[in-house]
Amino acid sequence: SAVISQKPSRDICQRGTSLTIQCQVDSQVTMMFWYRQQPGQSLTLIATANQGSEATYESGFVIDKFPISRPNLTFSTLTVSNMSPEDSSIYLCSVVVGEQLFFGEGSRLTVL
Amino acid sequence: RKEVEQDPGPFNVPEGATVAFNCTYSNSASQSFFWYRQDCRKEPKLLMSVYSSGNEDGRFTAQLNRASQYISLLIRDSKLSDSATYLCVVKTGGFKTIFGAGTRLFVKA
């Protein structure tokens, strides 16, 4: 299994600002995943973060808007840049152990 | 067409009822299938994997029909604590994981 700590758990931000979300895993993992879950919707993969290389972004997500760092095998950050109200969402980091996806508790972001 | 589609719900059932959810997937090359449970304002957690032979875990039974490309989840003797959103999850090759939009279940006393 994996235990994932995510912070902040929630934040309220002004439009135009940026927020960095941190994700810490209790074991070394090759890949970490960042998801977004908009209100009433399911999870959408933003990007896959590999240690030592640039993140791989899914269609509709770009590095300038969602820069990701992966400095080591247990930690990653996702920044939501130049926020707008449309970015209000829950952001979750995730890792795969065996066949199972484990998630952090999520960061609930509200942009005013 | 969405890659993974689920009954949107919500399903409102009394305690003790049996309820079934269906999920269809579009990619015939999909390899692994799961049901996740997500409580309100919480992260998703694995409920059970779904195997071709079908599998059961207590009150929960999951089945996979590869020919028709659907999976199902049956909950027997529903409890109040079963109230949650149930996510159908499909993995294709590698680490690509697709989530359904979820089916909301409300179990009432």
Side-chain angles (χ1 to χ4, degrees):
Chain A
S1 68
V3 177
I4 304 174
S5 302
Q6 225 181 296
K7 58 181 182 181
S9 58
R10 60 178 62 238
D11 208 339
I12 301 173
C13 304
Q14 296 294 325
R15 69 174 67 206
T17 62
S18 298
L19 177 74
T20 296
I21 301 166
Q22 298 180 9
C23 182
Q24 179 77 50
V25 188
D26 68 341
S27 57
Q28 295 185 336
V29 292
T30 304
M31 288 189 280
M32 294 177 73
F33 305 91
W34 287 99
Y35 286 88
R36 180 174 74 183
Q37 187 172 30
Q38 295 182 303
Q41 305 293 318
S42 191
L43 284 76
T44 300
L45 181 64
I46 298 171
T48 302
N50 295 313
Q51 193 267 333
S53 63
E54 277 201 3
T56 304
Y57 289 83
E58 297 298 306
S59 176
F61 298 96
V62 295
I63 188 171
D64 289 346
K65 176 67 176 176
F66 297 101
I68 287 172
S69 79
R70 185 79 204 275
N72 58 55
L73 291 173
T74 63
F75 187 79
S76 179
T77 68
L78 170 75
T79 299
V80 186
S81 303
N82 188 25
M83 288 184 284
S84 66
E86 292 71 35
D87 294 320
S88 297
S89 188
I90 300 171
Y91 294 85
L92 298 119
C93 68
S94 174
V95 301
V96 174
V97 177
E99 283 251 303
Q100 186 174 342
L101 269 170
F102 292 88
F103 291 89
E105 291 182 339
S107 299
R108 183 179 296 271
L109 173 62
T110 302
V111 184
L112 303 177
Chain B
R1 182 186 172 191
K2 292 181 181 178
E3 291 185 81
V4 177
E5 295 201 66
Q6 292 185 241
D7 291 337
F11 286 68
N12 294 287
V13 303
E15 271 188 297
T18 295
V19 60
F21 307 140
N22 292 321
C23 168
T24 58
Y25 59 95
S26 61
N27 187 343
S28 60
S30 299
Q31 298 178 348
S32 306
F33 309 88
F34 310 88
W35 284 102
Y36 274 71
R37 170 188 170 134
Q38 186 172 25
D39 293 298
C40 187
R41 297 178 178 272
K42 298 286 188 181
E43 74 277 19
K45 293 183 180 178
L46 178 67
L47 176 65
M48 57 196 307
S49 302
V50 188
Y51 304 115
S52 297
S53 55
N55 49 302
E56 188 173 307
D57 182 3
R59 298 181 293 109
F60 299 84
T61 301
Q63 292 194 310
L64 165 65
N65 185 320
R66 284 191 182 272
S68 301
Q69 295 181 205
Y70 83 80
I71 69 174
S72 64
L73 177 68
L74 182 76
I75 305 175
R76 291 181 299 277
D77 188 23
S78 300
K79 311 291 184 190
L80 293 175
S81 57
D82 294 333
S83 298
T85 298
Y86 292 83
L87 303 171
C88 173
V89 180
V90 175
K91 287 182 71 176
T92 58
F95 289 94
K96 185 170 175 64
T97 302
I98 309 296
F99 287 79
T103 300
R104 296 183 71 186
L105 172 65
F106 295 101
V107 181
K108 55 186 186 294

